[in-house]
Amino acid sequence: MTGPASARARVTAWRPSRWSSPVIVGWAVLITFALTAGPILLAGANPIAAYGEFLVVPLTSRFSILEVLVAATPILFTGAAVAIAFRAGYWNIGAEGQLLLGAIAAAGVGAAAGDLPPIVVLPAMLLAGGVAGAAWALVPALLRVRFGIDEVVTTLLLNPVALLVVNGLLHGPWRDPVTGFPESPRIAAAAEFPAFLERSRLHLGFVIALVIIAAAWYVVARTPAGLRLRAAGLSPIGARFAGIDVSWVVFRAALISGAIAGLAGVSEVAGIQFRLTSGLSPGYGYTGIVVATLGSLSLPGVALAALFLGDLTVGASSAARALEIPSQLGAVVQGVLLLTTIGLIALRRSRGGTTRRPTLDPQAPPDPPPMGNGEAGP
Amino acid sequence: MVGGETSGPEVALELRGITKRFGDLVANDAIDLDVRRGEIHALLGENGAGKTTVMRVAYGLSHADSGEIRVNGTLVHVRSPRDAIAAGIGMVTQHFSLVRPMTVAENLALGRSGGLRLDLNAARRTAADASMRFGIRVDPDAIVGNLSVGEQQRVEILKALARDCRILILDEPTAVLVPQEVDALFATLQRLVADGLGVVFISHKLGEVRAISQRVSVLRRGRMMGTVPGTTAEGELARLMIGRPIAGDKRAAPTHDDAGGGVGDPRGVLSIRDLRVAGSHGTAVIDGLSLDVRAGEILGIAGVSGNGQTELVDLLSGMRMPLGGSVVVDGVDVTGLGPAEMVEAGVGRIPEDRHASLIPELSVAYNLVMERLDEFRRAGRLDERAINEHADRLIERFAIKAHRGDRVAALSGGNIQKVLLARVLSRDPKVLVVSQPTRGLDVGATEYVRSQLVARRTAGAAVLLVSEDLDELLDLADRLVVIYEGRIVGEMAVGDADPERLGLLMAGRGAAGGAAA
C-alpha cells in the first residue's frame, strides 16, 4: 500500500498544526502592504490613501459595512469547508466545483418551487445544495480513502468540470427562452433568501454561514468526533493506532466539506443572483483556501479572515472608483497576502526545526486550545 | 599552535565556557571540554543533559551565547558546519544526512564543494581510496537507501573522514545498531584513534562508555560534572550522571523465581500459530512463526532487527494484516483484527516508534484518553473535567513530568514513553506487547519503565518483550526465544542463556539446541 503512505507523507509535510498565529498574520499584513506599495504607486495612487480605501473606508458607512458582510458570506462558507477538510488532513482544493454544484441544485429547486411556501422551499434548496456539493466531493474522497489517490489533484481537476456542467446547462436546457442569454430561469420568490435589513443586500445566507461556523467550531473543539478529526489530521498513523477509523473520519470530513461548499453556492443563488450564471463565483472556492490558511484553520479564525477579505474586496472596488486604480489590485493584495503568510509559516517552521526540543519554542501553540474551558462551554 | 593557553599540544579540540540558552532554559552552562588526539572521549549524560547541544555548537549547527572553540590551540569561529569542516571537525548526527537514492560515491562527492563538473569516476576512486585507507568497508557503488543502518553510519563516518576531519563527533552512534554492528563500530573507532583521530562519543549507556573510551566527561542538567578516566566504576559514573547510584540488579532476582507461573496451561494467554505476515514489499517477512506467552511471564524476543520483529508487533497492534495463521488472546481469536478490536481484546501495545503511537501535537490529557473517547463523553460532548481528572491521576501514578495540557511533542523521550505506558497500563491489559521500551531513554526513565513491565508480569499479564538490548532481555525476561528470518529458531530459559549461543542463533548459525515447538 504505497499509495496511502505517500499521501500521508505529504500530509505530514504540510501539517495543519501550529499554523499562523495572530503575530504571523500581523507581520504578513505589514509585509504585504510594503510589497504592494510598488504596484499601487505604478497605478498612480498614493499607497497610504489606497490602503485607507482598501481597509478603512468600507467600514465608515452603514451601506458599505453591510456590503462587507455580503462579500464575506460566500467565503465564510468556503473557508469553513476548506478548514474542516484540512483539519482532517484532507486537502480539498475542490470547494469551487462543490460550490457550483450547490448553485446548480439551488437554481433547479428554486426555479421549480412554484407556489410552495418558503418554509418548504428554503430547506429543500439548502438540502439539495448540500447534497450536491457532497456528491461532487464523493468520488475524490472515495479514491483517496480506498486507493490513496491524491485528493489535491482530483478535487482540483473537478473544478473546471463543474464549470463545464454549469455552462452546459446554461447554453442548453436552462438557456433563457426569451432573451437567449445563458442564464437559468429566475428562481421563485419563495426561494429567495429574505433580506432582513432595509436598503441592503445582506441576506439569510450570512446568518446561515455564521451558524455553520459556530456549529463546526463546537463539533471540532468540543466533541469526541471533533477530537478524532483533529487527531486524524495531526497524525494519521497515531490516530489509527489509537483505534480511530481514520479513513472513515477523513471520508466524512471530505463530504461535510463538500456540503458546506455547496451551501455557499445555494447562498449566492438564493441571496444575490436569484439564478444560475456562469459568473456566479469569481473563485470563492479558491478564496476559501486563503481564508482557511489566514484563519490558521481554526473556525473563529476563518470568520475573522473572511470578514477581513470581505473588507478588502469592498475596499478594492471603492478604491478603484475613488482613486482610479484597477480593481484587480484588490486581488493582487489578496494573493500577496496569502503567499506572505505561507512564506512566514514556512520560515518559522524551518527556524523552529533546528532546535531539538519543541518545548523551548517560546511561542506556545495557538491551536487547538489544549485543555481547560471544560466548564465554559456554550 | 598559536594560542597561548592550551592545555598541551595533544589537545585537538578545546571548548571553553560554552553557554547556550533556549529561552529560560540553560542547555549548556559554561561547558569546558578538551578532546585529545588519539583518544575516544565519551560525553555521558541523561537525555536533555546538553550533550548533543554542546556538540552541535562545536559543529556549527547551533550558536553558543558565549564561549570559545579552539582547534589545535587556534581560536576558530564556527558559524556553520562548513567552518567546522574547514577546521577539521566532523560530526555524525543521529539523523543521517545522506541522500538515499544516490550511491555511496555520489554521497561522498556531495560533501565536497567546488567545480561545476562532477567527475563521478574520481568520486568513486576517492570513495574506494578512503574506504581502503580508513579500513571502513563500503561498496562505493551501493545505493545508500539499500544499506543497513549500520552501513549508512559507516558511510557518514567515511564522509567526515574523507573531508580530512581530525576530530570526529558521534552522537549516540550505537542507538541504531545491533550488537554485532556495535562491535564493528568500536573496532573501527579504535583503529582511527590509533592513527591520531580524536573522537567524541556521545552516549548515555554506561557499559559502552566504559568499554570504548579513554576519558569520560559527564554532563548533568547542562553543567559539566567533571572528566574522569574511562576505567571509572559504573556506579561512580552513574552517580555523576544522575546524582545517585542506579538500583543495580535487584530486579533480576525475582524474575527467575516464579518463571513457572503459568506452566499449567500449555497454551498461553497469547498464542500464535503458523503466522505469516507480509512486509512492506509484499513478501512474507514472518513465515511460520509460533509462540505462546503465558500469564505472569515475560517472553523476550531476541534477534537482529529486520527479522520480522517490527511486523510481529505491528500485527499484534492491529496495524498490519496477516497472510495466514492464527492469533488467540485469552481464548478469543483476534487474527486480522484492527487496533480498536485488539485493545478491546485486552492487548496493550507499546511499539518501538512511540511518536507514531501518539498524537504528538495534542495534549497529554487527550492522548491518554484517545483509545477510549466514548467513555469520556457527556451529553454528546467531550467531558473535559473527566479527561483532566483522568490525566492528573495517571500523571501522578506514572510519575510523568508534564502538565496535562502540554503537547506530547514537547516532552522528553522518557516522558513520552511514560504517557504511552500510562495509556496502556491504565486499562489493565491481559497481554502486553512491548518493543524497544527503553531505547533512547535515560537511566532513570529506563529503570522506571522496566519496573512497570515487571510489575505487570507479577500482576499476571502475559508480556511479549521485543528488544535489541540483550542485557534488557536477560534482565527482564523469564524465557527467551530467538527470531531469525521470521521464525523462532531457538528457545531457552533466561537462566540457561549465554551470550555466545544467543549471538549464534541471532546470526542464523545455531540450529543447535531447542527449536520452538
Side-chain angles (χ1 to χ4, degrees):
Chain A
M1 297 247 293
T2 50
S6 66
R8 286 216 183 85
R10 178 173 42 72
V11 166
T12 35
W14 210 40
R15 126 175 335 202
S17 69
R18 310 181 71 212
W19 274 36
S20 47
S21 65
V23 180
I24 279 202
V25 173
W27 274 108
V29 169
L30 285 179
I31 292 172
T32 301
F33 286 171
L35 288 176
T36 49
I40 291 171
L41 278 171
L42 278 179
N46 175 350
I48 305 285
Y51 298 136
E53 287 284 343
F54 279 149
L55 296 179
V56 182
V57 171
L59 305 178
T60 53
S61 80
R62 172 186 180 274
F63 173 78
S64 57
I65 289 175
L66 293 174
E67 277 302 300
V68 167
L69 302 186
V70 170
T73 299
I75 54 181
L76 280 168
F77 281 111
T78 55
V82 171
I84 287 173
F86 280 21
R87 283 293 279 275
Y90 182 84
W91 306 105
N92 179 15
I93 314 296
E96 183 73 11
Q98 292 144 15
L99 176 152
L100 291 176
L101 263 289
I104 292 172
V109 172
D115 295 330
L116 290 169
I119 193 74
V120 177
V121 177
L122 295 184
M125 276 170 85
L126 289 168
L127 184 68
V131 169
W136 202 248
L138 177 67
V139 170
L142 278 177
L143 288 175
R144 155 75 190 274
V145 170
R146 285 266 162 246
F147 305 107
I149 292 173
D150 193 326
E151 75 277 10
V152 171
V153 176
T154 52
T155 54
L156 178 68
L157 290 183
L158 278 177
N159 290 340
V161 177
L163 191 58
L164 287 175
V165 173
V166 168
N167 283 323
L169 283 170
L170 293 182
H171 290 278
W174 282 3
R175 187 195 285 270
D176 192 310
V178 182
T179 64
F181 281 137
E183 290 180 344
S184 75
R186 189 179 168 104
I187 58 175
E192 293 178 10
F193 277 172
F196 35 81
L197 292 173
E198 301 236 326
R199 290 178 293 112
S200 166
R201 300 197 294 162
L202 192 64
H203 54 87
L204 182 64
F206 179 70
V207 179
I208 296 176
L210 290 186
V211 169
I212 295 255
I213 287 198
W217 171 82
Y218 181 80
V219 170
V220 169
R222 292 281 178 263
T223 68
L227 185 53
R228 289 194 182 99
L229 177 135
R230 282 186 273 160
L234 290 167
S235 174
I237 294 175
R240 193 160 88 82
F241 183 82
I244 295 171
D245 188 343
V246 173
S247 294
W248 175 232
V249 168
V250 167
F251 181 71
R252 276 190 309 177
L255 293 197
I256 290 169
S257 172
I260 295 176
L263 292 183
V266 178
S267 165
E268 286 306 285
V269 166
I272 301 290
Q273 308 280 356
F274 308 123
R275 52 167 51 90
L276 185 67
T277 66
S278 62
L280 181 90
S281 165
Y284 290 138
Y286 299 109
T287 311
I289 300 167
V290 182
V291 169
T293 304
L294 289 181
S296 66
L297 301 191
S298 90
L299 289 149
V302 163
L304 288 176
L307 292 171
F308 178 68
L309 289 189
D311 182 31
L312 200 58
T313 307
V314 173
S317 60
S318 79
R321 268 177 276 117
L323 304 174
E324 295 181 333
I325 55 176
S327 63
Q328 286 84 350
L329 272 176
V332 171
V333 172
Q334 274 188 25
V336 173
L337 183 60
L338 176 70
L339 293 176
T340 317
T341 310
I342 291 176
L344 285 175
I345 292 167
L347 187 68
R348 183 169 87 170
R349 183 166 315 133
S350 72
R351 285 280 182 76
T354 57
T355 46
R356 241 160 58 97
R357 309 204 301 165
T359 15
L360 306 175
D361 188 344
Q363 282 159 322
D367 178 57
M371 276 287 115
N373 288 352
E375 320 307 304
Chain B
M1 308 296 136
V2 182
E5 40 179 329
T6 56
S7 328
E10 77 276 22
V11 173
L13 172 68
E14 201 182 339
L15 304 182
R16 283 288 167 266
I18 300 289
T19 297
K20 174 74 186 171
R21 289 186 200 85
F22 295 105
D24 292 337
L25 189 137
V26 184
N28 290 148
D29 188 359
I31 302 287
D32 292 338
L33 181 72
D34 294 328
V35 181
R36 296 176 189 150
R37 271 189 285 285
E39 80 164 343
I40 296 178
H41 192 125
L43 198 53
L44 180 70
E46 292 195 285
N47 288 335
K51 312 179 293 282
T52 300
T53 305
V54 71
M55 284 303 128
R56 285 173 63 90
V57 167
Y59 190 58
L61 286 169
S62 66
H63 303 269
D65 297 311
S66 62
E68 56 183 49
I69 301 169
R70 283 166 192 272
V71 173
N72 293 330
T74 312
L75 188 63
V76 290
H77 294 285
V78 180
R79 287 177 213 90
S80 71
R82 184 183 294 257
D83 295 338
I85 291 164
I89 303 171
M91 179 162 177
V92 178
T93 54
Q94 288 189 57
H95 301 284
F96 300 152
S97 50
L98 296 170
V99 184
R100 297 173 54 88
M102 290 190 176
T103 66
V104 171
E106 285 166 339
N107 266 284
L108 291 187
L110 274 181
R112 305 175 154 275
S113 50
L116 284 173
R117 232 172 66 79
L118 177 62
D119 185 347
L120 273 182
N121 278 322
R124 200 174 296 127
R125 267 197 313 278
T126 314
D129 279 358
S131 177
M132 194 81 92
R133 187 151 53 101
F134 301 112
I136 297 176
R137 280 183 35 215
V138 282
D139 172 7
D141 295 320
I143 303 287
V144 165
N146 296 340
L147 299 178
S148 74
V149 177
E151 289 169 319
Q152 291 184 24
Q153 189 180 61
R154 286 206 282 279
V155 177
E156 278 279 19
I157 293 174
L158 204 53
K159 201 168 91 182
L161 294 174
R163 296 170 186 166
D164 297 323
C165 91
R166 303 309 301 146
I167 301 135
L168 180 62
I169 303 165
L170 302 170
D171 192 358
E172 310 221 356
T174 59
V176 292
L177 301 182
V178 297
Q180 285 84 347
E181 288 176 324
V182 171
D183 292 343
L185 171 70
F186 282 6
T188 303
L189 293 181
Q190 300 284 15
R191 211 164 41 241
L192 292 172
V193 296
D195 287 346
L197 191 76
V199 172
V200 180
F201 182 90
I202 302 180
S203 177
H204 53 70
K205 294 183 185 163
L206 298 176
E208 64 186 35
V209 160
R210 293 185 72 237
I212 184 93
S213 47
Q214 276 78 57
R215 291 192 302 157
V216 185
S217 289
V218 186
L219 286 179
R220 190 203 307 168
R221 290 165 184 251
R223 291 232 173 89
M224 178 60 77
M225 305 314 294
T227 299
V228 296
T231 51
T232 309
E234 283 199 10
E236 171 67 9
L237 288 177
R239 193 188 58 72
L240 281 171
M241 183 161 83
I242 59 179
R244 64 188 154 89
I246 27 177
D249 298 329
K250 266 177 281 170
R251 250 172 286 108
T255 306
H256 304 288
D257 293 343
D258 43 20
V263 175
D265 184 359
R267 287 182 75 112
V269 176
L270 171 64
S271 179
I272 300 175
R273 286 290 172 276
D274 302 318
L275 187 67
R276 292 174 57 237
V277 182
S280 313
H281 302 295
T283 51
V285 171
I286 294 179
D287 198 359
L289 181 144
S290 299
L291 59 78
D292 286 279
V293 191
R294 293 183 278 267
E297 89 166 340
I298 297 181
L299 176 69
I301 296 196
V304 177
S305 68
N307 276 292
Q309 295 97 319
T310 308
E311 288 78 10
L312 177 63
V313 172
D314 278 358
L315 177 106
L316 293 173
S317 300
M319 298 291 279
R320 200 180 274 264
M321 295 297 117
L323 295 173
S326 72
V327 181
V328 175
V329 171
D330 203 18
V332 180
D333 188 339
V334 298
T335 315
L337 296 187
E341 293 101 330
M342 281 293 185
V343 172
E344 202 54 42
V347 181
R349 309 153 305 147
I350 305 180
E352 56 184 293
D353 189 347
R354 27 194 110 103
H355 286 89
S357 310
L358 296 164
I359 319 287
E361 293 295 329
L362 287 180
S363 68
V364 170
Y366 280 162
N367 271 287
L368 287 172
V369 297
M370 199 51 83
E371 286 180 349
R372 47 207 287 203
L373 282 179
D374 289 331
E375 296 169 36
F376 291 87
R377 181 168 54 185
R378 208 173 57 184
R381 53 184 285 178
L382 290 167
D383 188 346
E384 299 280 356
R385 177 185 287 182
I387 291 171
N388 288 343
E389 284 169 3
H390 177 255
D392 288 343
R393 253 193 330 275
L394 292 186
I395 284 170
E396 193 184 332
R397 183 172 144 203
F398 289 90
I400 303 168
K401 291 197 203 83
H403 184 263
R404 62 180 186 233
D406 291 345
R407 286 178 314 128
V408 164
L411 307 185
S412 70
N415 282 309
I416 292 176
Q417 185 71 321
K418 283 181 179 178
V419 170
L420 189 56
L421 202 67
R423 182 169 95 183
V424 168
L425 298 188
S426 66
R427 307 195 69 170
D428 279 330
K430 285 178 266 193
V431 170
L432 199 50
V433 179
V434 190
S435 179
Q436 319 295 353
T438 61
R439 177 187 278 175
L441 301 195
D442 61 46
V443 174
T446 296
E447 199 179 349
Y448 183 82
V449 168
R450 290 182 177 178
S451 72
Q452 286 292 320
L453 295 182
V454 170
R456 261 314 115 163
R457 183 214 56 186
T458 310
V463 182
L464 181 73
L465 172 65
V466 177
S467 180
E468 278 164 18
D469 184 344
L470 271 185
D471 294 331
E472 178 162 278
L473 289 175
L474 294 171
D475 264 8
L476 296 181
D478 304 300
R479 201 154 56 92
L480 280 182
V481 294
V482 178
I483 190 170
Y484 181 74
E485 293 193 341
R487 269 172 231 242
I488 303 300
V489 295
E491 175 181 352
M492 64 199 76
V494 159
D496 308 333
D498 70 284
E500 197 177 321
R501 171 147 177 264
L502 268 176
L504 286 172
L505 283 170
M506 287 165 66
R509 266 172 284 160

